[in-house]
Amino acid sequence: TIQVEVFKVPITVNAPEGKTIELMVDPTAPLADLKRQLESESGIPVTNQNLTKEGEALDNENKKLEDYEVKAGTGIDLEPKI
């Protein structure tokens, strides 16, 4: 069998109420995967998450994280939708 090692990078998510969430993510994974991780860490449902990176909305769940230039050390802001 062929074993493929997934390359993960650390990112920081700034959540509501000053909470910071540190995650290891695969840059080739879709945004939907990150949103699922954040739901379990923050308690904010996937459908209620607004994610931004340096003011740019991360809103296409099928787009890969690397397409949004998410790499080691990237900071993402998480806000609940109102």
Side-chain angles (χ1 to χ4, degrees):
T1 61
I2 297 173
Q3 191 171 8
V4 177
E5 188 171 322
V6 176
F7 176 70
K8 292 193 175 189
V9 297
I11 66 166
T12 302
V13 179
N14 302 307
E17 299 169 11
K19 184 176 179 186
T20 301
I21 302 169
E22 303 282 340
L23 294 175
M24 295 296 289
V25 298
D26 172 4
T28 63
L31 179 64
D33 286 5
L34 171 60
K35 286 187 154 198
R36 281 191 292 275
Q37 271 187 282
L38 286 172
E39 180 174 24
S40 89
E41 291 287 330
S42 71
I44 299 172
V46 168
T47 54
N48 286 358
Q49 294 176 16
N50 259 346
L51 299 178
T52 57
K53 181 179 90 52
E54 299 170 0
E56 174 192 3
L58 310 182
D59 53 10
N60 182 341
E61 292 190 3
N62 297 315
K63 209 170 177 182
K64 292 179 181 177
L65 295 175
E66 65 188 1
D67 294 337
Y68 283 117
E69 297 180 15
V70 171
K71 52 189 178 282
T74 294
I76 294 175
D77 295 311
L78 165 63
E79 291 292 330
K81 290 182 182 174
I82 299 171

